[in-house]
Amino acid sequence: MRARTVVGNWKMHGELASNAKLLGRLRERLADAPCRVGVCVPFPYLAQARDLLDGCPIGWGAQDASAHPRGAYTGEVSAAMVAEFGSRWVIVGHSERRSLHAETSDRVAAKAQAVMAAGLTPIVCVGETLEEREAGRTEAVVAEQLDACLSRLGAPALAEAVIAYEPVWAIGTGRTASPGQAQAVHAFIRARLGAAGAGATVVYGGSVKPANARELFAMPDIDGGLIGGASLSIEEFEPICRAFD
Ligand code: PEP
């Protein structure tokens, strides 16, 4: 279902005391946001997110989940375990997982499938490196990443997920895709989903800040954002969540 959506990716940041303050402020200041709001926290803080956000419209979730339902996979966390904490979202295929943990597009697709099987919404990240963009390969790279999910899930199911277009060169670099660059890839993603594309939620991620969120979210195919660094500060995250006309 297409819906305005802004989700924070805390990455490997946080500690109980500072999380409590941030979660409390999210609850106070974003319960009436003009979009779906979520935070994806490190696994150990899922219970804290549940305890401090329960009963308000802000959702929470994790930044990864195993492709396997259970078993001898030391260190992995299943989607069903994440679901037990009342979670709504799970990020899969973040470029840091693809590059630092060698996750292939097929592995990402298997994770998205496992997340859906647990009744949660995967936020499937796709995006090209700077080298790939400069070689004119943006669409080919994004197509390969999406097609793995399409062949496992089918377009109607993928349209029920969230797709996050995150150019790798824009993540944590302060270098944002221009609204036009982002819009072009978002339109390409929708087209790749065929008839289901019009109903899909497609968000942009990569150095979104209060100063650039409004012009990005005003693009016709951009439904919101996946926010890294700026999600750690209520002063930055709140205006981003409100940057819709
Ligand atoms: C991210 O980690 O998904 C991200 C978009 O990070 P940042 O907003 O810090 O670029």
Side-chain angles (χ1 to χ4, degrees), residues 9 11 94 96 166 170-173 205-209 226-230:
N9 171 16
K11 310 197 189 200
H94 191 280
E96 288 152 16
E166 297 210 308
I171 296 177
T173 59
S207 297
V208 178
K209 305 288 175 206
L226 180 59
I227 316 299

Side-chain angles (χ1 to χ4, degrees), residues 2 128 133 138-139 142 163-167 169 176-192 197-198 200 202-205 208 212-224:
R2 189 169 181 182
E128 81 289 359
R133 173 163 282 266
T138 298
E139 290 191 354
V142 170
I163 299 167
Y165 169 55
E166 297 210 308
W169 48 273
T176 320
S178 69
Q181 284 174 319
Q183 164 60 26
V185 182
H186 280 239
F188 173 77
I189 290 169
R190 276 191 208 287
R192 197 85 186 169
V202 189
V203 302
Y204 170 79
V208 178
N212 59 25
R214 189 167 293 278
E215 56 176 2
L216 285 160
F217 299 174
M219 290 290 115
D221 287 304
I222 300 183
D223 296 319

